[in-house]
Amino acid sequence: YATKSSGAGALIYDSNHDVSSQQSLTFASELKSAVETNQLALYLQPKIDLGTGHVIGAEALIRWNHPQKGLIYPDSFIPFAEQSGNINKISMWMLAEVARFSGEWQHEHHLPAPVIAINLSARDLVDHLLPNKIQEMLTANKLSNHAISLEITESSIMDDPKRALNTLNVLSDMGLKLSIDDFGTGYSSLSYLKNLPVSELKIDKSFVLNMENDKADVNIIRSTVDLGHNLGLKVVAEGIENQNVWTALEGLGCDFGQGYFISKPMPADQFGKWLESWTATNKKSKDLYKKMK
Ligand code: C2E
Ligand code: MG
Ligand code: MG
Ligand code: MG
């Protein structure tokens, strides 16, 4: 896995060491206790309809409030958790947290709860009990199976395509919507795409962040939107950092979007307030708000 040398998610383990090195063992036990002592935090980033500005959902993104190191971003520990066998515990924590959030929303807000997208890893997809665990979590919180959706990457499927496809078919039959995350960056195979029970493609932010400066990125996005639509899928762009990019994506026919221009991921307990103020100030979404009241 790639090392990260700068920014808030600075490297906290050394990828040159294998998972059994002393440093890795320490990190693995810290991560295990992070799950047990509630150091993990649920952040949400809104997802909007690019044409109307309406909020149609949110993506669940994990953060680690480390007692000494402060806020740690997922790129600095998810790859390690995947390699050291801790990812399933983290995914279950995430699932429980999202279910609890959506369950509580019903009592506290008159607006409908956003559909929350959860990121899954390869190891989750080969767990044949995953669909049962998800069903239990939803039922325990009196949620419909439309309350959450799931994001998977092309590479997470390619680890063990047969088992992954089996799990995905069960999840889709349960009524859960599935998206392909980071589309275009991984191990793409159009013949798999054709057979996957997904309803959405997410264009990776690497194409979106640079689209104002690079015509090739615009062309890739245009082709991806067309490909998605031709397969009957919705297309989402992540990494929208300004109004021009929003407008350009809307012009290319992209359906939905996420990005810092709309909102950075925020602690889940701030989402309700954010949604109220977005709905009140966003001209396009004002009409919807009136309709729902
Ligand atoms: P992702 O699922 O592709 O999530 C999108 C990432 O892009 C998030 O980073 C988000 O904060 C960032 N982003 C969104 N809008 C913008 C923007 O306008 N500009 C820029 N520069 N960045 C933007 P984050 O939260 O650091 O997550 C990184 C990755 O970690 C995620 O990529 C996902 O693959 C993984 N991840 C996060 N939470 C979980 C989790 O609960 N489970 C698993 N398995 N993976 C997770
Ligand atoms: Mg994602
Ligand atoms: Mg993504
Ligand atoms: Mg990504």
Side-chain angles (χ1 to χ4, degrees):
Y1 34 85
T3 56
K4 216 175 177 181
S5 55
S6 62
L11 182 68
I12 51 166
Y13 65 92
D14 185 345
S15 63
N16 295 321
H17 292 154
D18 63 58
V19 285
S20 61
S21 73
Q22 187 49 49
Q23 185 195 13
S24 298
L25 287 175
T26 308
F27 192 55
S29 83
E30 282 185 356
L31 193 52
K32 197 162 163 281
S33 80
V35 184
E36 285 154 9
T37 63
N38 223 25
Q39 292 169 21
L40 300 178
L42 168 64
Y43 275 55
L44 293 174
Q45 185 180 42
K47 177 173 161 187
I48 62 156
D49 182 315
L50 291 177
T52 61
H54 298 163
V55 175
I56 53 151
E59 178 172 7
L61 295 159
I62 201 164
R63 301 287 183 264
W64 178 2
N65 284 308
H66 191 285
Q68 282 86 40
K69 293 164 182 140
L71 193 67
I72 304 178
Y73 285 80
D75 286 338
S76 303
F77 66 93
I78 291 291
F80 180 85
E82 286 171 341
Q83 295 218 346
S84 62
N86 286 301
I87 192 66
N88 301 87
K89 262 202 197 99
I90 291 178
S91 301
M92 284 307 115
W93 178 88
M94 195 38 137
L95 194 59
E97 196 63 16
V98 167
R100 194 173 62 83
F101 174 86
S102 298
E104 281 175 6
W105 183 281
Q106 255 112 278
H107 305 290
E108 290 166 15
H109 301 273
H110 60 280
L111 291 168
V115 177
I116 300 184
I118 297 175
N119 293 283
L120 294 180
S121 294
R123 294 234 195 166
D124 298 313
L125 297 181
V126 296
D127 173 9
H128 68 281
L129 291 175
L130 180 75
N132 287 336
K133 292 173 185 166
I134 292 179
Q135 188 63 69
E136 276 168 25
M137 210 70 90
L138 291 168
T139 308
N141 288 279
K142 300 192 175 68
L143 296 169
S144 90
N145 289 9
H146 307 296
I148 63 169
S149 66
L150 303 169
E151 297 189 4
I152 52 176
T153 61
E154 298 155 288
S155 1
S156 75
I157 301 161
M158 294 312 166
D159 262 18
D160 187 345
K162 234 182 125 191
R163 278 170 82 180
L165 188 60
N166 185 49
T167 307
L168 295 176
N169 280 323
V170 176
L171 291 167
S172 164
D173 289 344
M174 282 165 54
L176 291 166
K177 289 230 161 93
L178 307 174
S179 314
I180 304 225
D181 205 356
D182 303 347
F183 188 75
T185 62
Y187 194 171
S188 310
S189 159
L190 294 177
S191 60
Y192 272 108
L193 183 59
K194 188 181 77 172
N195 293 314
L196 285 172
V198 296
S199 54
E200 191 177 87
L201 291 186
K202 290 191 88 166
I203 298 175
D204 190 67
K205 61 175 179 286
S206 59
F207 303 111
V208 178
L209 290 173
N210 204 28
M211 70 182 283
E212 286 176 292
N213 309 313
D214 195 341
K215 196 80 180 73
D217 285 327
V218 175
N219 290 330
I220 289 169
I221 292 169
R222 181 187 293 109
S223 306
T224 306
V225 170
D226 291 346
L227 172 68
H229 287 170
N230 288 334
L231 292 171
L233 309 176
K234 296 287 186 191
V235 182
V236 197
E238 58 178 33
I240 302 173
E241 293 193 350
N242 63 52
Q243 179 68 64
N244 286 343
V245 169
W246 176 343
T247 308
L249 286 165
E250 197 186 342
L252 294 172
C254 190
D255 304 289
F256 309 130
Q258 288 173 230
Y260 294 174
F261 182 67
I262 295 122
S263 171
K264 288 195 170 180
M266 66 192 102
D269 62 5
Q270 293 174 16
F271 191 83
K273 267 232 156 67
W274 178 86
L275 182 59
E276 272 174 36
S277 88
W278 174 267
T279 312
T281 54
N282 181 281
K283 210 194 149 300
K284 283 172 167 174
S285 61
K286 230 174 193 160
D287 327 324
L288 175 84
Y289 188 67
K290 278 199 207 113
K291 246 189 264 164
M292 285 192 310
K293 271 202 136 171

